[in-house]
Amino acid sequence: MKFMTGLLSAAIVSLAAALPAKAETLRVGMECTYAPFNYRTPEGEMAGYDVDVAKGIAERIGVELDYVCQEWDGMIPALLASKFDLIVASMSITEERKQKIDFSVPYRVSLGRILGSKDAALKLFDDAGKPIPDAFNGLRFGVERASTYAKWVEAKLPGAEIALYDGAQPMLLDLQNGRIDIAITNPMKAYLDFLSKENGAGFEFVSPPIDEVEYFGPGVGVGLRKGNDALLAKIDKALEEMIKDGSLEKFSLKYFPFSIQPANWKGVGQ
């Protein structure tokens, strides 16, 4: 009996060794309401460009993903509190944020543009592309709370009359209904969700692309807690592979009629 028990135990051990090890699961924080970057479909599935990027990384580094929905202004505190392991939520890489967390190399560009009414004939920037502070006087300016856009407006236009919003959708609705005069947001989202739609027909971009690295960073990256250097290196390698094999461009063309990758692939800090 002891002999048979020993054989059975050895067989179980051999079978367990032959089975593939269960993949590590990483929890990914995102808003889940920021279409077309990260959102839930009517069926409850996660979708969007950020989700595609997260899945591409997971496939290459051999992990499973769990999605954790988090409001934007609590995203970094939640990461630091270990509520999730990664931020894949279109977060711009900025010096201020890098004091708290680490970032991967960028996986898309980071910039802003201002929208306004076509009928207003606004001249807010000079020929060199610099804002004219006085031109903003008397204009109600919609800005997303706790965003890089808010930082830029506060620094460049301290006298602007700012209306803060918890997301782009309510801000664009107020722009459409005349409650604000201008709004700054992600031009990719603005194009898809507003300018290309019937309700955005009377509006246009009233600024050039605003891509000052001091405020918007070198692009958007994956955020993670400091000290995870091995994981960061794997993520960087996965993203570099994805841009070289065209995966990131393929993802972007699912949602936009143009590429949203950096023109020159550069690591953070270069």
Side-chain angles (χ1 to χ4, degrees), residues 50-217:
D50 292 327
V51 176
D52 290 342
V53 171
K55 288 179 178 177
I57 292 171
E59 179 182 333
R60 284 164 174 77
I61 69 175
V63 300
E64 302 291 337
L65 299 179
D66 277 343
Y67 300 103
V68 180
C69 298
Q70 171 65 48
E71 291 186 1
W72 179 255
D73 57 0
M75 194 71 69
I76 289 179
L79 174 69
L80 296 177
S82 297
K83 293 184 178 179
F84 39 80
D85 306 299
L86 305 175
I87 296 173
V88 189
S90 287
M91 180 170 281
S92 297
I93 303 162
T94 66
E95 290 301 320
E96 180 179 355
R97 289 170 178 159
K98 284 166 64 178
Q99 299 303 311
K100 300 175 182 177
I101 66 174
D102 282 339
F103 281 98
S104 71
V105 293
Y107 63 83
R108 75 164 174 82
V109 294
S110 177
L111 47 85
R113 290 191 81 172
I114 299 172
L115 299 96
S117 170
K118 291 179 179 179
D119 295 334
L122 297 169
K123 173 69 172 174
L124 303 177
F125 289 71
D126 63 24
D127 293 339
K130 302 296 183 184
I132 306 168
D134 288 348
F136 290 82
N137 291 345
L139 297 178
R140 294 160 296 171
F141 198 162
V143 182
E144 294 167 73
R145 194 186 311 275
S147 65
T148 51
Y149 312 122
K151 296 286 186 185
W152 182 84
V153 172
E154 289 166 4
K156 298 293 183 177
L157 303 165
E161 182 185 337
I162 297 174
L164 292 174
Y165 291 86
D166 290 326
Q169 294 291 64
M171 181 178 67
L172 293 174
L173 182 60
D174 273 5
L175 178 66
Q176 178 189 344
N177 292 329
R179 297 188 185 98
I180 55 176
D181 301 298
I182 54 176
I184 183 170
T185 191
N186 180 312
M188 294 157 271
K189 184 171 180 61
Y191 172 81
L192 274 189
D193 290 357
F194 189 59
L195 294 179
S196 62
K197 308 291 185 184
E198 184 177 349
N199 58 345
F203 298 86
E204 64 184 355
F205 288 123
V206 295
S207 78
I210 305 167
D211 61 355
E212 297 181 50
V213 172
E214 180 182 355
Y215 301 97
F216 299 99

Side-chain angles (χ1 to χ4, degrees), residues 217-228:
V220 157
V222 176
L224 63 168
R225 288 184 295 279
K226 288 183 177 293
N228 290 295

